[in-house]
């Protein structure tokens, strides 16, 4: 069984079902790009994964743990919090931001002894004051100043916020910390060059299989039930409206 990616073919392990393989690729390559190429995660690092119960967050947590990093994650609901607490190996700390009363920066600094986290993978950031935000989800996002505050010296901030605006004081704070900001878009898996995409897709397709090896055991995608082809249009509309919490896979 082969997957076509760029000019390469990647063999699908026999123990991996097609649904899991298809549902892992996009989020897997994004997570691999963020943690391997943009931030070079390594043992002993502390990684903050925002919205860890999302499909992308789930893969990112598992990949960071596989690399020996300590992982902190935020949860946007009680259901998300319970899901993250059931992950094995366990997340070091789950920060429940659903009630809007928990300070993410304070919690991260407390968990790291005031040093800050080494790598932040956000799920968007709040650019303006609370009264200017319109949607309920945006109310749960951390402010960009909170991200800068909780980032440690030499840290890496990987952002999915395409309209991120850093004012001079923000840049000055990042400068003093020697920190970096990198951008990660949703289609990075489709834009990756040969060097980035091929080994990433190979790793992450194999990672679905519990029988492949110990180091690949932990990876599990967040998937909904397979959707028949005749429901593809409805499913696509749900995805485009950002109403799908899990990855949707069309089964022919």
């Amino acid at each position: 069984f082969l997957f076509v990616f760029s000019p390469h073919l990647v063999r699908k392990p026999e123990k991996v079902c097609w649904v899991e393989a298809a549902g892992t690729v996009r989020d897997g390559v994004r997570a691999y790009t963020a943690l391997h190429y943009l931030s070079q995660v390594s043992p002993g690092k502390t990684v903050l994964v925002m919205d860890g119960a999302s499909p992308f967050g789930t893969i990112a947590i598992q990949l960071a743990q596989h690399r020996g990093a300590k992982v902190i994650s935020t949860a946007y609901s009680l259901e998300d919090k319970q899901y993250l607490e059931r992950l094995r190996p366990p997340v070091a700390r789950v920060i429940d931001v659903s009630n809007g009363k928990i300070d993410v920066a304070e919690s991260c600094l407390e968990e790291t002894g005031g040093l800050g986290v080494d790598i932040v993978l956000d799920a968007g950031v709040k650019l303006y004051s609370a009264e200017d935000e319109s949607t309920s989800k945006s109310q749960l996002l951390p402010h960009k100043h909170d991200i800068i505050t909780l980032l440690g010296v030499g840290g890496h901030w990987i952002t999915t916020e395409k309209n991120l605006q850093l004012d001079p004081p923000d840049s000055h704070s990042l400068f003093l910390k020697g920190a970096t900001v990198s951008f990660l878009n949703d289609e990075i898996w489709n834009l990756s060059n040969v060097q980035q995409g091929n080994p990433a897709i190979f790793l992450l397709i194999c990672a679905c299989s519990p029988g492949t090896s110990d180091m690949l055991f932990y990876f599990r995608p967040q998937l909904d039930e397979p959707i028949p082809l005749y429901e593809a249009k409805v499913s696509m509309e749900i995805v485009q409206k950002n109403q799908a919490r899990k990855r949707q896979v069309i089964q022919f």
Side-chain angles (χ1 to χ4, degrees):
F1 302 117
L2 301 175
F3 267 73
V4 180
F5 188 77
S6 189
H8 296 273
L9 297 177
V10 179
R11 182 174 296 278
K12 181 182 77 66
E14 294 181 0
K15 295 184 179 181
V16 179
C17 70
W18 285 104
V19 173
E20 281 193 326
T24 303
V25 172
R26 180 177 181 177
D27 294 312
V29 176
R30 287 178 66 213
Y32 190 83
T33 300
L35 293 172
H36 180 76
Y37 290 104
L38 299 181
S39 59
Q40 299 180 337
V41 65
S42 58
K45 297 288 187 181
T46 302
V47 180
L48 170 63
V49 179
M50 307 298 295
D51 193 13
S54 66
F56 169 69
T58 298
I59 295 294
I61 287 173
Q62 295 172 82
L63 181 55
Q65 289 176 328
H66 159 58
R67 291 294 181 85
K70 173 183 177 180
V71 179
I72 303 171
S73 182
T74 60
Y76 288 171
S77 67
L78 177 59
E79 182 181 1
D80 287 353
K81 181 176 183 290
Q82 293 172 341
Y83 169 78
L84 291 170
E85 290 175 340
R86 291 194 300 267
L87 290 179
R88 292 296 179 270
V91 175
R93 182 165 184 170
V94 178
I95 304 172
D96 185 0
V97 299
S98 59
N99 57 16
K101 298 179 180 179
I102 303 298
D103 190 309
V104 176
E106 182 179 328
S107 298
C108 289
L109 291 173
E110 178 184 340
E111 185 66 30
T112 59
L115 298 177
V117 303
D118 300 296
I119 301 169
V120 177
L121 274 63
D122 72 29
V125 293
K126 192 182 298 181
L127 300 176
Y128 311 105
S129 57
E131 58 268 18
D132 295 329
E133 300 289 349
S134 56
T135 64
S136 58
K137 182 179 180 180
S138 64
Q139 294 286 348
L140 302 178
L141 297 176
H143 196 281
K144 59 182 179 179
H145 296 152
D146 295 330
I147 298 292
I148 296 173
T149 299
L150 62 84
L151 197 62
V153 174
H156 302 277
W157 175 11
I158 314 300
T159 183
T160 59
E161 178 57 60
K162 63 182 179 181
N163 295 317
L164 180 67
Q165 178 179 335
L166 295 176
D167 300 318
D170 302 327
S171 297
H172 185 64
S173 295
L174 291 169
F175 171 79
L176 293 176
K177 292 186 175 186
T180 63
V181 179
S182 299
F183 291 86
L184 185 72
N185 68 65
D186 289 341
E187 303 301 329
I188 194 70
W189 70 278
N190 196 36
L191 300 174
S192 297
N193 58 30
V194 174
Q195 180 184 6
Q196 292 181 324
N198 193 47
I201 209 169
F202 173 81
L203 167 67
L204 291 153
I205 289 178
C206 291
C208 296
S209 175
T212 307
S213 71
D214 290 339
M215 78 172 187
L216 299 176
F217 175 73
Y218 306 116
F219 296 87
R220 283 295 180 275
Q222 266 275 57
L223 299 177
D224 217 331
E225 291 296 321
I227 298 169
L229 183 59
Y230 62 83
E231 294 183 5
K233 181 179 179 181
V234 176
S235 177
M236 179 60 72
E237 291 174 350
I238 293 175
V239 171
Q240 290 176 337
K241 293 177 181 178
N242 293 322
Q243 295 176 344
R245 186 57 177 163
K246 298 182 179 180
R247 278 288 165 252
Q248 309 288 309
V249 177
I250 307 298
Q251 192 166 39
F252 290 92

